[in-house]
Amino acid sequence: MAVPVNVAAAPAGPARTVSARHFVRLKLRVMGNNFRGQGWRIALFIGGALVGLWFAASGFFLFAAPGMSGNGRYAVLVAAAGGGLLVLGWLLLPLVFFGVDETLDPARFALLPLPRRTLVVGLFAAALVSVPVLAASLAVLGLVVTAWSLGGWSAGLVAVVGVLAGLLLCVAASRAVTSAFASMLRSRRVRDLAAVLLAVAAALLGPLQVFGLAALRETDWTRLTGVATVIGWTPFGAPWTAGIDVAQGRVWAAPVKLLITVVAVVALLAWWSRSLESAMVGTASRGKAPAQRGVTGGAVAQLFPRAANWARRDRFGALVALQARYWWRDARRRANLITIAVVGIFIPVLFNGGLSFTSGDEQGFNMGAGDSSPTLVTLSMIFVGVLASVTLANQFGFDGSAYAANVVAGVPGRVELRARMTAFSLYVLPMLAFVAVLLSVLLGRPGWIGLTAGSLAATYGAGLAVNSFVSVLAAYALPETSNPFAMNGGAGVAKGLLTVLSMGTTAVAAVPMVLAAALLGDAWLWLALPVGVAYGLGAALLGAYLAGDVLDRRQPELLATVTPRR
């Protein structure tokens, strides 16, 4: 990416001050260049903008409902709960699903004489220029309508200040968290520990959500309003409830809550500043190479990791070994494996009734096994299988320009796709088996292990077939950065829409498993495992066979598509 002349310090002439507007203009120019000559990317961007507009309209009417109805009883509840969920979404979705826009890679500015404060402010301003920020802005304007309707123009003006501060909080939190986790995952020395800690931290969200859903069954709206009042005094709810407080006569609370928001934004920007500077320095030191003990078979055998040590020493085996190492060592791919491990555990629990608190003299909680059925369990397993396989929707994008080696070597498309499926499955299949066994045990139905495992196998295999075509026909380039959650401008929208398309197609392909669970009754408990394994394996092989022919014809175009632009 070329850097404008007015950003770098010129050897002659007066120095020009770099401000946030230069970063915004640079981002708009880079985004425009990315769309040039890419009609499909423009179409995806417009489609994503329309989807964002629909969500924005839905959020607007939700936030504006108390004001439009003239009933302010639940205004604080709507503002605190909705605003808190919005902040959580900005925190978690970049880590778990969509990624964060890295149109302006901070590493590109490492050699420029820019103060750290200027860089942080400029990149922060550029991050505000995006479709998600625009959609969130339109949605939270509903809070302004509510505050204005309930308390007049003064409450409305305070609500405007509050929602603007809340949007700054969302963007700052997203950038700080993704940059911090990227720094941890970049270091080979601490990557294992960082990945485990990240998985544990994300896994805690599942039980908290389960307890929250269980608490909803035992409480009423009045008690929830009290909880929302407490949330309103935290950074998650403070900016969104300031205008409501003015409308309800608590004028003194508004400046305090705005101060809480400002302190949170400043703290997040300071955190981002430190992690951003670390990311610009470069890759952390790997330390001393570990001693190779007990390695036999020569230099070729040492290239095969333990997970792929069984593979033949031929072209297929070499590709499996290469991809297996990538999935274990590449930060981007590893972040996706963490997502599968975390979400795949607690989503089935929530799907099948979650945890319910016992009443009376008994204390504690138990799984809602009585509410589960083979059909519901199959649906939850389909969701996990879909999530596990959708990671391969842009598998060539992970390689980037390195895919040129396979093109030059003339690797057949079928061999390429089968090897990639095999390497990915070395890590995913043990996770899916653990999920299948764990859910059956938690439900108190050990006899359903075949049902859960068969449903997972069928959906996962169908997903591999679907995503083989998606990865060949709709690949996109990823930015050359150490941030595993980074996305190029426009690619985030493309990733979101392609992910939805892939997940929907895979779910449709797995419908026969749901119909069989609903119609065959107890007989399906015995047939689900062999039928599911055969269905998934057959679908994966057929997908690799058909998509491999397409890959053979599109190798040059695919290489050009996944190669990052500079």
Side-chain angles (χ1 to χ4, degrees), residues 338-359:
I338 293 172
T339 300
I340 297 172
V342 173
V343 180
I345 291 176
F346 70 81
I347 284 296
V349 176
L350 300 180
F351 227 101
N352 292 275
L355 298 176
S356 58
F357 289 97
T358 58
S359 58

PDB file of all heavy atoms in Angstrom, residues 338-359:
ATOM      1  N   ILE A 338     -10.134 -22.252  18.265  1.00  0.00           N
ATOM      2  CA  ILE A 338     -10.589 -21.889  19.611  1.00  0.00           C
ATOM      3  C   ILE A 338     -12.093 -21.620  19.591  1.00  0.00           C
ATOM      4  O   ILE A 338     -12.831 -22.026  20.492  1.00  0.00           O
ATOM      5  CB  ILE A 338      -9.814 -20.667  20.123  1.00  0.00           C
ATOM      6  CG1 ILE A 338      -8.341 -21.035  20.348  1.00  0.00           C
ATOM      7  CG2 ILE A 338     -10.424 -20.131  21.408  1.00  0.00           C
ATOM      8  CD1 ILE A 338      -7.463 -19.848  20.665  1.00  0.00           C
ATOM      9  N   THR A 339     -12.562 -20.938  18.554  1.00  0.00           N
ATOM     10  CA  THR A 339     -13.987 -20.645  18.448  1.00  0.00           C
ATOM     11  C   THR A 339     -14.805 -21.927  18.394  1.00  0.00           C
ATOM     12  O   THR A 339     -15.842 -22.053  19.052  1.00  0.00           O
ATOM     13  CB  THR A 339     -14.250 -19.801  17.198  1.00  0.00           C
ATOM     14  OG1 THR A 339     -13.512 -18.585  17.289  1.00  0.00           O
ATOM     15  CG2 THR A 339     -15.726 -19.493  17.051  1.00  0.00           C
ATOM     16  N   ILE A 340     -14.359 -22.887  17.595  1.00  0.00           N
ATOM     17  CA  ILE A 340     -15.082 -24.159  17.489  1.00  0.00           C
ATOM     18  C   ILE A 340     -15.110 -24.867  18.832  1.00  0.00           C
ATOM     19  O   ILE A 340     -16.146 -25.395  19.261  1.00  0.00           O
ATOM     20  CB  ILE A 340     -14.422 -25.048  16.419  1.00  0.00           C
ATOM     21  CG1 ILE A 340     -14.511 -24.382  15.039  1.00  0.00           C
ATOM     22  CG2 ILE A 340     -15.069 -26.426  16.383  1.00  0.00           C
ATOM     23  CD1 ILE A 340     -13.726 -25.099  13.967  1.00  0.00           C
ATOM     24  N   ALA A 341     -13.973 -24.874  19.530  1.00  0.00           N
ATOM     25  CA  ALA A 341     -13.901 -25.578  20.805  1.00  0.00           C
ATOM     26  C   ALA A 341     -14.817 -24.955  21.848  1.00  0.00           C
ATOM     27  O   ALA A 341     -15.475 -25.663  22.624  1.00  0.00           O
ATOM     28  CB  ALA A 341     -12.458 -25.590  21.313  1.00  0.00           C
ATOM     29  N   VAL A 342     -14.888 -23.628  21.857  1.00  0.00           N
ATOM     30  CA  VAL A 342     -15.669 -22.945  22.893  1.00  0.00           C
ATOM     31  C   VAL A 342     -17.151 -22.985  22.579  1.00  0.00           C
ATOM     32  O   VAL A 342     -17.973 -23.430  23.374  1.00  0.00           O
ATOM     33  CB  VAL A 342     -15.174 -21.496  23.052  1.00  0.00           C
ATOM     34  CG1 VAL A 342     -16.072 -20.722  23.985  1.00  0.00           C
ATOM     35  CG2 VAL A 342     -13.744 -21.489  23.562  1.00  0.00           C
ATOM     36  N   VAL A 343     -17.518 -22.495  21.381  1.00  0.00           N
ATOM     37  CA  VAL A 343     -18.928 -22.400  21.021  1.00  0.00           C
ATOM     38  C   VAL A 343     -19.557 -23.782  20.895  1.00  0.00           C
ATOM     39  O   VAL A 343     -20.722 -23.978  21.240  1.00  0.00           O
ATOM     40  CB  VAL A 343     -19.082 -21.607  19.713  1.00  0.00           C
ATOM     41  CG1 VAL A 343     -20.546 -21.498  19.308  1.00  0.00           C
ATOM     42  CG2 VAL A 343     -18.477 -20.229  19.869  1.00  0.00           C
ATOM     43  N   GLY A 344     -18.778 -24.753  20.427  1.00  0.00           N
ATOM     44  CA  GLY A 344     -19.322 -26.094  20.255  1.00  0.00           C
ATOM     45  C   GLY A 344     -19.695 -26.772  21.556  1.00  0.00           C
ATOM     46  O   GLY A 344     -20.465 -27.750  21.549  1.00  0.00           O
ATOM     47  N   ILE A 345     -19.196 -26.280  22.676  1.00  0.00           N
ATOM     48  CA  ILE A 345     -19.512 -26.910  23.959  1.00  0.00           C
ATOM     49  C   ILE A 345     -20.795 -26.347  24.554  1.00  0.00           C
ATOM     50  O   ILE A 345     -21.696 -27.082  24.953  1.00  0.00           O
ATOM     51  CB  ILE A 345     -18.329 -26.732  24.942  1.00  0.00           C
ATOM     52  CG1 ILE A 345     -17.137 -27.566  24.474  1.00  0.00           C
ATOM     53  CG2 ILE A 345     -18.744 -27.139  26.353  1.00  0.00           C
ATOM     54  CD1 ILE A 345     -15.891 -27.381  25.320  1.00  0.00           C
ATOM     55  N   PHE A 346     -20.916 -25.006  24.616  1.00  0.00           N
ATOM     56  CA  PHE A 346     -22.053 -24.481  25.370  1.00  0.00           C
ATOM     57  C   PHE A 346     -23.290 -24.224  24.519  1.00  0.00           C
ATOM     58  O   PHE A 346     -24.388 -24.123  25.053  1.00  0.00           O
ATOM     59  CB  PHE A 346     -21.666 -23.205  26.137  1.00  0.00           C
ATOM     60  CG  PHE A 346     -21.408 -21.991  25.295  1.00  0.00           C
ATOM     61  CD1 PHE A 346     -22.441 -21.219  24.820  1.00  0.00           C
ATOM     62  CD2 PHE A 346     -20.111 -21.606  25.031  1.00  0.00           C
ATOM     63  CE1 PHE A 346     -22.198 -20.081  24.080  1.00  0.00           C
ATOM     64  CE2 PHE A 346     -19.850 -20.473  24.286  1.00  0.00           C
ATOM     65  CZ  PHE A 346     -20.893 -19.712  23.806  1.00  0.00           C
ATOM     66  N   ILE A 347     -23.160 -24.122  23.175  1.00  0.00           N
ATOM     67  CA  ILE A 347     -24.356 -23.927  22.351  1.00  0.00           C
ATOM     68  C   ILE A 347     -25.304 -25.118  22.445  1.00  0.00           C
ATOM     69  O   ILE A 347     -26.526 -24.934  22.581  1.00  0.00           O
ATOM     70  CB  ILE A 347     -23.952 -23.653  20.896  1.00  0.00           C
ATOM     71  CG1 ILE A 347     -23.445 -22.218  20.756  1.00  0.00           C
ATOM     72  CG2 ILE A 347     -25.125 -23.873  19.955  1.00  0.00           C
ATOM     73  CD1 ILE A 347     -24.505 -21.170  21.043  1.00  0.00           C
ATOM     74  N   PRO A 348     -24.824 -26.376  22.371  1.00  0.00           N
ATOM     75  CA  PRO A 348     -25.778 -27.488  22.538  1.00  0.00           C
ATOM     76  C   PRO A 348     -26.471 -27.477  23.895  1.00  0.00           C
ATOM     77  O   PRO A 348     -27.638 -27.869  24.008  1.00  0.00           O
ATOM     78  CB  PRO A 348     -24.888 -28.731  22.371  1.00  0.00           C
ATOM     79  CG  PRO A 348     -23.731 -28.269  21.573  1.00  0.00           C
ATOM     80  CD  PRO A 348     -23.483 -26.866  22.011  1.00  0.00           C
ATOM     81  N   VAL A 349     -25.776 -27.039  24.940  1.00  0.00           N
ATOM     82  CA  VAL A 349     -26.399 -26.968  26.261  1.00  0.00           C
ATOM     83  C   VAL A 349     -27.550 -25.970  26.248  1.00  0.00           C
ATOM     84  O   VAL A 349     -28.651 -26.240  26.748  1.00  0.00           O
ATOM     85  CB  VAL A 349     -25.352 -26.592  27.328  1.00  0.00           C
ATOM     86  CG1 VAL A 349     -26.011 -26.426  28.682  1.00  0.00           C
ATOM     87  CG2 VAL A 349     -24.267 -27.659  27.400  1.00  0.00           C
ATOM     88  N   LEU A 350     -27.316 -24.797  25.654  1.00  0.00           N
ATOM     89  CA  LEU A 350     -28.377 -23.799  25.565  1.00  0.00           C
ATOM     90  C   LEU A 350     -29.509 -24.272  24.676  1.00  0.00           C
ATOM     91  O   LEU A 350     -30.688 -24.016  24.936  1.00  0.00           O
ATOM     92  CB  LEU A 350     -27.807 -22.483  25.025  1.00  0.00           C
ATOM     93  CG  LEU A 350     -26.698 -21.822  25.834  1.00  0.00           C
ATOM     94  CD1 LEU A 350     -26.255 -20.539  25.167  1.00  0.00           C
ATOM     95  CD2 LEU A 350     -27.165 -21.545  27.248  1.00  0.00           C
ATOM     96  N   PHE A 351     -29.171 -24.972  23.592  1.00  0.00           N
ATOM     97  CA  PHE A 351     -30.171 -25.444  22.646  1.00  0.00           C
ATOM     98  C   PHE A 351     -31.121 -26.443  23.279  1.00  0.00           C
ATOM     99  O   PHE A 351     -32.301 -26.504  22.929  1.00  0.00           O
ATOM    100  CB  PHE A 351     -29.468 -26.092  21.443  1.00  0.00           C
ATOM    101  CG  PHE A 351     -30.002 -25.641  20.123  1.00  0.00           C
ATOM    102  CD1 PHE A 351     -29.323 -24.695  19.383  1.00  0.00           C
ATOM    103  CD2 PHE A 351     -31.172 -26.150  19.615  1.00  0.00           C
ATOM    104  CE1 PHE A 351     -29.802 -24.256  18.158  1.00  0.00           C
ATOM    105  CE2 PHE A 351     -31.664 -25.731  18.385  1.00  0.00           C
ATOM    106  CZ  PHE A 351     -30.976 -24.784  17.664  1.00  0.00           C
ATOM    107  N   ASN A 352     -30.620 -27.228  24.213  1.00  0.00           N
ATOM    108  CA  ASN A 352     -31.420 -28.314  24.783  1.00  0.00           C
ATOM    109  C   ASN A 352     -31.958 -27.976  26.170  1.00  0.00           C
ATOM    110  O   ASN A 352     -32.065 -28.836  27.045  1.00  0.00           O
ATOM    111  CB  ASN A 352     -30.586 -29.599  24.859  1.00  0.00           C
ATOM    112  CG  ASN A 352     -30.269 -30.154  23.494  1.00  0.00           C
ATOM    113  OD1 ASN A 352     -31.056 -30.876  22.906  1.00  0.00           O
ATOM    114  ND2 ASN A 352     -29.101 -29.792  22.966  1.00  0.00           N
ATOM    115  N   GLY A 353     -32.259 -26.734  26.406  1.00  0.00           N
ATOM    116  CA  GLY A 353     -32.930 -26.351  27.641  1.00  0.00           C
ATOM    117  C   GLY A 353     -32.026 -25.711  28.648  1.00  0.00           C
ATOM    118  O   GLY A 353     -32.486 -25.136  29.629  1.00  0.00           O
ATOM    119  N   GLY A 354     -30.699 -25.773  28.451  1.00  0.00           N
ATOM    120  CA  GLY A 354     -29.759 -25.132  29.367  1.00  0.00           C
ATOM    121  C   GLY A 354     -29.826 -25.717  30.756  1.00  0.00           C
ATOM    122  O   GLY A 354     -30.180 -26.878  30.975  1.00  0.00           O
ATOM    123  N   LEU A 355     -29.481 -24.917  31.707  1.00  0.00           N
ATOM    124  CA  LEU A 355     -29.499 -25.299  33.106  1.00  0.00           C
ATOM    125  C   LEU A 355     -30.684 -24.634  33.777  1.00  0.00           C
ATOM    126  O   LEU A 355     -30.980 -23.474  33.543  1.00  0.00           O
ATOM    127  CB  LEU A 355     -28.204 -24.860  33.797  1.00  0.00           C
ATOM    128  CG  LEU A 355     -26.918 -25.487  33.264  1.00  0.00           C
ATOM    129  CD1 LEU A 355     -25.735 -24.881  33.975  1.00  0.00           C
ATOM    130  CD2 LEU A 355     -26.940 -26.981  33.404  1.00  0.00           C
ATOM    131  N   SER A 356     -31.365 -25.370  34.614  1.00  0.00           N
ATOM    132  CA  SER A 356     -32.519 -24.817  35.329  1.00  0.00           C
ATOM    133  C   SER A 356     -32.289 -24.935  36.827  1.00  0.00           C
ATOM    134  O   SER A 356     -31.818 -25.958  37.312  1.00  0.00           O
ATOM    135  CB  SER A 356     -33.796 -25.568  34.936  1.00  0.00           C
ATOM    136  OG  SER A 356     -33.664 -26.939  35.208  1.00  0.00           O
ATOM    137  N   PHE A 357     -32.626 -23.876  37.539  1.00  0.00           N
ATOM    138  CA  PHE A 357     -32.458 -23.881  38.985  1.00  0.00           C
ATOM    139  C   PHE A 357     -33.554 -24.724  39.618  1.00  0.00           C
ATOM    140  O   PHE A 357     -34.713 -24.690  39.210  1.00  0.00           O
ATOM    141  CB  PHE A 357     -32.533 -22.460  39.527  1.00  0.00           C
ATOM    142  CG  PHE A 357     -31.344 -21.638  39.177  1.00  0.00           C
ATOM    143  CD1 PHE A 357     -31.395 -20.784  38.090  1.00  0.00           C
ATOM    144  CD2 PHE A 357     -30.177 -21.742  39.903  1.00  0.00           C
ATOM    145  CE1 PHE A 357     -30.304 -20.018  37.758  1.00  0.00           C
ATOM    146  CE2 PHE A 357     -29.086 -20.968  39.579  1.00  0.00           C
ATOM    147  CZ  PHE A 357     -29.150 -20.118  38.501  1.00  0.00           C
ATOM    148  N   THR A 358     -33.177 -25.469  40.638  1.00  0.00           N
ATOM    149  CA  THR A 358     -34.158 -26.262  41.376  1.00  0.00           C
ATOM    150  C   THR A 358     -34.897 -25.372  42.352  1.00  0.00           C
ATOM    151  O   THR A 358     -34.384 -24.360  42.809  1.00  0.00           O
ATOM    152  CB  THR A 358     -33.460 -27.404  42.134  1.00  0.00           C
ATOM    153  OG1 THR A 358     -32.489 -26.828  43.010  1.00  0.00           O
ATOM    154  CG2 THR A 358     -32.770 -28.356  41.180  1.00  0.00           C
ATOM    155  N   SER A 359     -36.103 -25.741  42.659  1.00  0.00           N
ATOM    156  CA  SER A 359     -36.930 -24.942  43.556  1.00  0.00           C
ATOM    157  C   SER A 359     -37.132 -25.691  44.865  1.00  0.00           C
ATOM    158  O   SER A 359     -36.774 -26.855  45.007  1.00  0.00           O
ATOM    159  CB  SER A 359     -38.282 -24.652  42.890  1.00  0.00           C
ATOM    160  OG  SER A 359     -38.936 -25.859  42.554  1.00  0.00           O
TER     161      SER A 359
END
